[in-house]
Amino acid sequence: QVQLAESGGGSVQAGGSLRLSCAASGYGYSANCMGWFRQAPGKDREGVATIYTAHGRAHYIDSVKGRFTISRDTAGAGNTVYLQMDSLKPEDTAMYYCVAGWAKCERFDAADFTYWGQGTQVTVSS
């Protein structure tokens, strides 16, 4: 069974940083794109950042450009991704979900992602 194991969420004050990690494992796992979606209470789910695992090309939504950096582990099988979140704002507060699948990363289409993590909470206080 394929699993996406997330870690690194927590609470931080505005302007602070957090780093999320996600490791994919399990028989049959295969994906060309990994990334992070988030959902805040009362809001729609949105893609935040994605990355092609083969060559590392990354994509971001406008609201996090220049503040968030997605990267992948190139030493192993490329099944681990990280999201470095700097200059966090209260509006970044949400449950963050790791995703993976065969997708066009730049589309940020949730339907393209076969695998989803359980989610990790990020809370930013003002």
Side-chain angles (χ1 to χ4, degrees), residues 34-104:
M34 295 185 73
W36 298 88
F37 277 64
R38 68 185 180 186
Q39 187 165 23
K43 295 189 176 181
D44 292 335
R45 180 173 55 188
E46 64 176 354
V48 176
T50 55
I51 187 168
Y52 284 103
T53 55
H55 50 64
R57 185 170 301 160
H59 301 272
Y60 302 91
I61 56 170
D62 287 345
S63 61
V64 307
K65 285 180 180 177
R67 301 188 298 119
F68 290 12
T69 304
I70 189 170
S71 60
R72 88 258 194 243
D73 179 10
T74 58
N79 293 345
T80 301
V81 292
Y82 308 94
L83 186 67
Q84 178 66 41
M85 303 185 294
D86 298 320
S87 301
L88 282 161
K89 303 176 180 180
E91 51 263 43
D92 294 317
T93 295
M95 185 70 78
Y96 283 69
Y97 297 91
C98 180
V99 298
W102 284 89
K104 290 189 180 293

